[in-house]
Amino acid sequence: MPLKIKPQLIVGLAVFLVALIFCSFLVFSGLLLRFERQPEAEEPVVELDDFGIAVGRYKVKSHVVRPNQTLSQILTDIPLAPETVQAVTEEMQLHFDPRRIRSGQPFHAYVSSDSTQRLQYFVYEISMIDFLKVIFGDSLTVEKGQKELTTVSRISSGIIDTSLWNTLSENNLSFELAIRLSEILAWEVDFHRIQQGDLFKVIYYESFVGDKSVDVPRVEAVYFRHHGREIFGFYFESDTVKGFFDKEGDNLRKIFLRAPLEFVRITSRFSHSRLHPVLRHRRAHHGTDYAAPYGTPILAVGDGTVTRTGFNSGNGNYVRIRHNSVYETQYLHMSRFAAGIRPGTRVTQGQVIGYVGSTGLATGPHVCFRFFKNGTPVNHLNLEFPSADPLPDAYREQFIVIRDRLLRELGQIPYSEKSPATWF
């Protein structure tokens, strides 16, 4: 006789089976969670110094290069064995000429903190940014690196009291900014005749290593009021054009620099009758004397060809350059000529042609700068020179958009109430 199962029993069994499956799933899931791989503990963060070396693991001995000290002497003093010194010198030459090590530059020796005091790293700072790192591991290796830079956009302004450099220094602004401004405005501003009340505004980028300023890689815009004259410069770059242009799109660069030196002072001006400081009688002085320390680089004020180099008892070491069919310049009393400067050499504006000295009839280090127009000496400080190539018409619309934006930003940079800006 067939077994009869009541419908209520079937339903009960079904509910029981579903409940059993669900409970099994929960138990199994719990087991999975329990046996699931636990996350690994995070590695402790290792702090690295500017040269990528772990902080606190080594004893660091820091020094600066002494005058006339060589790499071999530095490594020998650490001390290292002669064969290791030779190996380091040879390996370093792949990245940097050891003969270019300069006095005053820092270097660092990293030694193990145990009793062996074994040298692990040697670092030489080429500049405020670049460095060489010698690694004494299983094998000797040399790496050239750069400190980590942070570059930020900045704005600054100032009212000049004595000089541009002093004003920047008093406002805790970078010396690199002074160099950039002098390069941009070299054709428009006579930095030897800056007067009290001249003022400036500037938009630029500044790079830092930590909190230390190391570079001003680019200036975006500058405003300078000099002897009551307003000067604007806006940086513009495209495929074929790069430089600073004024509000009308004219190039700030002129065909001649105003002076053959940077950050110097005029000690004697162009004159038809001057008491000679050595000969002690009056004679014409058809040049401008710029005083500067021995060895200061002397720059060609414009593109041209060297026509004469030599020495005589009055001029000392001198260089003469023909720039075109109209203009020539001459630079006197050099301590020495720059490498490659000889008759026939082509030079470019701003190129170093020699170094300040006091050869010839001179009482101290300076350069006497002479300017000739059609063979006749003239006072270059009284001349107005044309600009270099203006902005091509094809880029003018693009330039205007950038110029107007930067004009608005310059206009928002405040001055003190002493000298309010009036142009915006």
Side-chain angles (χ1 to χ4, degrees), residues 115-394:
S115 59
T116 64
Q117 296 281 293
R118 183 172 176 271
L119 183 65
Q120 304 290 325
Y121 300 94
F122 171 79
V123 176
Y124 169 72
E125 297 192 45
I126 301 172
S127 67
M128 296 179 72
I129 300 173
D130 301 306
F131 64 87
L132 281 175
K133 180 167 64 176
V134 183
I135 305 169
F136 298 89
D138 295 334
S139 61
L140 179 71
T141 57
V142 176
E143 298 176 354
K144 187 174 182 180
Q146 284 193 332
K147 298 176 185 177
E148 184 176 349
L149 293 178
T150 301
T151 301
V152 297
S153 178
R154 300 198 65 189
I155 59 172
S156 297
S157 66
I159 302 169
I160 295 173
D161 186 33
T162 55
S163 70
L164 175 62
W165 163 239
N166 286 340
T167 301
L168 292 174
S169 180
E170 290 165 2
N171 287 280
N172 297 317
L173 299 176
S174 166
F175 177 66
E176 291 290 331
L177 181 59
I179 294 175
R180 294 290 175 266
L181 292 178
S182 70
E183 292 170 346
I184 296 165
L185 301 170
W187 301 273
E188 294 287 344
V189 175
D190 185 350
F191 286 97
H192 313 291
R193 299 177 62 195
I194 283 181
Q195 64 181 16
Q196 189 175 26
D198 285 356
L199 45 84
F200 67 91
K201 296 182 176 187
V202 58
I203 302 169
Y204 61 103
Y205 289 96
E206 187 167 10
S207 296
F208 295 83
V209 172
D211 59 357
K212 185 176 182 181
S213 174
V214 295
D215 191 24
V216 175
R218 196 169 85 188
V219 171
E220 292 281 280
V222 59
Y223 165 76
F224 206 99
R225 194 169 77 195
H226 180 50
H227 289 262
R229 186 167 68 97
E230 293 185 321
I231 303 161
F232 292 87
F234 305 99
Y235 182 77
F236 180 80
E237 182 176 356
S238 66
D239 295 338
T240 58
V241 177
K242 181 170 69 173
F244 285 86
F245 300 86
D246 65 15
K247 287 199 296 186
E248 285 69 44
D250 291 326
N251 202 323
L252 283 191
R253 182 177 181 268
K254 298 292 192 292
I255 61 172
F256 291 114
L257 296 173
R258 282 189 170 270
L261 301 172
E262 296 179 347
F263 300 111
V264 292
R265 59 190 176 90
I266 295 175
T267 55
S268 184
R269 295 181 179 272
F270 187 97
S271 173
H272 294 295
S273 178
R274 179 193 71 154
L275 181 64
H276 195 280
V278 177
L279 301 176
R280 306 309 297 172
H281 63 75
R282 304 198 74 82
R283 61 188 294 184
H285 181 247
H286 290 158
T288 303
D289 289 348
Y290 294 94
Y294 278 103
T296 300
I298 299 171
L299 314 177
V301 297
D303 298 350
T305 302
V306 176
T307 56
R308 273 185 266 173
T309 62
F311 175 90
N312 64 40
S313 58
N315 297 339
N317 293 320
Y318 70 92
V319 172
R320 187 160 177 142
I321 299 173
R322 175 173 291 279
H323 300 282
N324 53 34
S325 60
V326 176
Y327 298 113
E328 291 179 277
T329 54
Q330 192 171 13
Y331 313 76
L332 314 181
H333 309 303
M334 294 179 173
S335 60
R336 60 188 175 93
F337 307 121
I341 298 300
R342 60 180 65 90
T345 301
R346 286 286 302 170
V347 295
T348 57
Q349 187 179 72
Q351 180 178 335
V352 177
I353 58 173
Y355 300 89
V356 168
S358 56
T359 56
L361 290 177
T363 57
H366 74 286
V367 58
C368 177
F369 175 64
R370 294 179 178 175
F371 199 94
F372 300 87
K373 183 176 182 180
N374 294 319
T376 302
V378 295
N379 185 358
H380 74 289
L381 295 175
N382 293 336
L383 299 178
E384 288 292 332
F385 299 114
S387 294
D389 295 335
L391 188 71
D393 290 339

